[in-house]
Amino acid sequence: MGEGPRFMALTPAVNLGPATALTCRECGNSRELGPHYACEECFGPLEISYDFGDVTRASIEAGPRNIWRYRGLLPVPENVADTPNLEPGLTRLVRADHLAESLGLQRLWVKDDSGNPTHSFKDRVVAVALAAARELGFKVLACPSTGNLANAVAAAAARAGIRSAVFVPSNLEAQKIITTAVYGGTFVTVDGNYDDVNRLASEIAGEQEDWAFVNVNVRPYYAEGSKTLGYEIAEQLGWRLPDQIVVPIASGSQLTKIDKAFQEFIRLGLVEDKPYKVFGAQAAGCDPVSAAFKAGHDVVRPVKPDTIAKSLAIGNPADGPYVLDAVRRTGGAVEDVTDEQVVEGIRLLARTEGIFGETAGGVTVGVLKKLVDSGALDPAAETVIINSGDGLKTLDAVAPVVGPSANIAPSLAAFRASGLA
Ligand SMILES: *Cc1c(COP(=O)(O)O)cnc(C)c1O
Ligand SMILES: [Zn+2]
């Protein structure tokens, strides 16, 4: 073996655009691109390394009106946009003055990712995972899911014309079961919680060699899809970073990758280098990262989830320690809210901005409010929050507490009598 770093000698056998290697987050060991997700030396998670070419504001702006405008920063083939796919991304960044006013903030934006093809941010990560999985020779697109990923995988596979295999806890919201089953792939409900389903998926992945479990055996590629949320926020703000951002946490991948996107944009000179703070949001019924943050721990102790925010109900979050790193490095915090505050958060966002978020959105708005009230968040600083999913998928959360103003007979007299004029 030569003297230089091992990865220098490796030529990637696959074409995944600017991606050059897989590098361990823990020990820094590198290996060639392939269907690998854990370090051979220390079992740490692998992350994509890149050699970015000449990416400029103009080259991005000239790209398609979806996440593929950032393909020069993702582990995908150059011609990725030519293959049938759901074309997620470039969701709206909404100036939220009414919500800001009700919370005492000066400048607030909602990145509304419910506008994606299957109504959650998961379409981003699945699109990148699918593009990489095809290049790596996988035949089936699979996942364990808390719900939204199931929708995204089943739909993306249908659009791409390949088989899907989706595994979810059997106690999922009815809306998320139906909105997965409709796409017609293999769909298995499992009597267990998400962490049980995730373990089962790893075991199946060990046997089914041509199945790409997007968040298991192709996780390094999948995770990079979340960077597009960060890129879009910066581009939509007019090529600059916000001062503060509040992000929901399930595995913690979305949060760490938004931070990574901001760092890359700074390094590439696409935005001005300035400080920003990253805040994380969890439900009190599944708060392992929030608990570790508050206790000052570097490790995240797993919990058994019990919350209406099922899309965030991962008791053993893979990226928990890296969330703690990003939040502490930037001067942010992690906070959690009760299920009642989640419902209040959903209603507040709907009432003030006309945006109906799912329970994860309620978690994020609830945490935003709590952070403002506690003084952890600067009310004068420009803030962005993520609404990562659609309220139509978690109707049960608000069904008991909202309804019509009145039920009346079809007569003018009845309307007058209702007192609603
Ligand atoms: C999956 C999911 C998240 C967060 O996912 P991470 O695993 O932390 O990347 C946030 N919101 C919704 C609606 C989700 O489905
Ligand atoms: Zn390692």
Side-chain angles (χ1 to χ4, degrees), residues 144 167 188 190 194-206 213:
F167 300 82
V188 182
V190 179
Y194 174 76
D195 298 283
D196 298 322
V197 179
N198 192 30
R199 186 174 24 78
L200 172 63
S202 300
E203 289 166 11
I204 297 171
F213 281 86

Side-chain angles (χ1 to χ4, degrees), residues 43-410:
F43 298 107
L46 298 176
E47 174 140 347
I48 313 288
S49 293
Y50 295 97
D51 181 5
F52 294 137
D54 191 21
V55 179
T56 63
R57 292 179 181 179
S59 72
I60 291 171
E61 285 166 351
R65 297 199 55 77
N66 54 55
I67 62 169
W68 305 131
R69 66 203 283 104
Y70 309 108
R71 71 187 174 282
L73 304 170
L74 296 169
V76 295
E78 222 157 87
N79 64 353
V80 63
D82 303 337
T83 316
N85 72 90
L86 293 177
E87 303 180 355
L90 227 59
T91 56
R92 20 180 230 154
L93 183 70
V94 181
R95 177 78 183 251
D97 287 342
H98 298 133
L99 178 59
E101 194 185 337
S102 87
L103 297 176
L105 286 162
Q106 283 175 23
R107 251 171 110 77
L108 177 65
W109 304 83
V110 178
K111 178 61 171 167
D112 186 13
D113 241 26
S114 67
N116 276 306
T118 70
H119 312 281
S120 89
F121 103 99
K122 291 296 198 300
D123 291 316
R124 299 174 180 275
V125 280
V126 169
V128 174
L130 172 57
R134 294 186 118 179
E135 181 67 19
L136 295 171
F138 288 99
K139 298 284 183 281
V140 178
L141 198 67
C143 70
S145 170
T146 58
N148 285 314
L149 187 59
N151 295 164
V153 163
R159 172 87 182 120
I162 65 172
R163 181 182 169 195
S164 65
V166 165
F167 300 82
V168 301
S170 50
N171 72 349
L172 219 57
E173 298 95 339
Q175 290 90 4
K176 285 183 184 160
I177 301 270
I178 296 163
T179 52
T180 299
V182 73
Y183 297 110
T186 302
F187 179 32
V188 182
T189 59
V190 179
D191 292 329
N193 65 25
Y194 174 76
D195 298 283
D196 298 322
V197 179
N198 192 30
R199 186 174 24 78
L200 172 63
S202 300
E203 289 166 11
I204 297 171
E207 291 193 346
Q208 305 289 337
E209 288 197 344
D210 58 359
W211 289 26
F213 281 86
V214 295
N215 50 344
V216 181
N217 55 351
V218 290
R219 188 172 179 84
Y221 306 92
Y222 160 94
E224 294 295 289
S226 284
K227 292 194 303 182
T228 59
L229 258 174
Y231 298 148
E232 286 179 20
I233 289 166
E235 184 180 352
Q236 289 170 319
L237 284 174
W239 298 104
R240 56 188 186 81
L241 302 180
D243 300 319
Q244 314 177 117
I245 183 160
V246 186
V247 185
I249 299 169
S251 72
S253 180
Q254 181 185 139
L255 184 147
T256 59
K257 296 301 176 175
I258 289 175
D259 174 51
K260 185 179 183 184
F262 288 176
Q263 294 293 315
E264 286 177 350
F265 264 23
I266 290 172
R267 206 150 21 85
L268 289 163
L270 294 172
V271 296
E272 191 189 322
D273 187 358
K274 74 181 250 320
Y276 60 86
K277 294 183 179 183
V278 180
F279 295 84
Q282 292 205 295
C286 184
D287 67 345
V289 186
S290 174
F293 176 80
K294 291 174 181 173
H297 294 160
D298 294 330
V299 291
V300 173
R301 194 180 310 148
V303 302
K304 232 185 158 59
D306 181 13
T307 170
I308 58 168
K310 291 181 183 171
S311 59
L312 303 182
I314 297 185
N316 188 11
D319 292 294
Y322 308 121
V323 168
L324 294 171
D325 288 347
V327 165
R328 288 180 176 139
R329 191 194 82 242
T330 62
V334 187
E335 191 48 273
D336 56 90
V337 286
T338 65
D339 283 358
E340 266 157 46
Q341 290 168 319
V342 173
V343 174
E344 276 172 35
I346 294 173
R347 297 178 70 186
L348 183 63
L349 179 61
R351 240 180 14 241
T352 54
E353 299 298 343
I355 299 171
F356 184 18
E358 72 144 78
T359 44
V363 167
T364 307
V365 173
V367 162
L368 172 70
K369 177 170 165 40
K370 202 165 167 181
L371 291 168
V372 176
D373 292 347
S374 74
L377 212 122
D378 177 358
E382 182 166 51
T383 306
V384 172
I385 64 170
I386 309 288
N387 179 47
S388 47
D390 192 323
L392 289 174
K393 292 198 216 177
T394 59
L395 288 174
D396 291 350
V398 288
V401 291
V402 299
S405 307
N407 179 55
I408 61 170

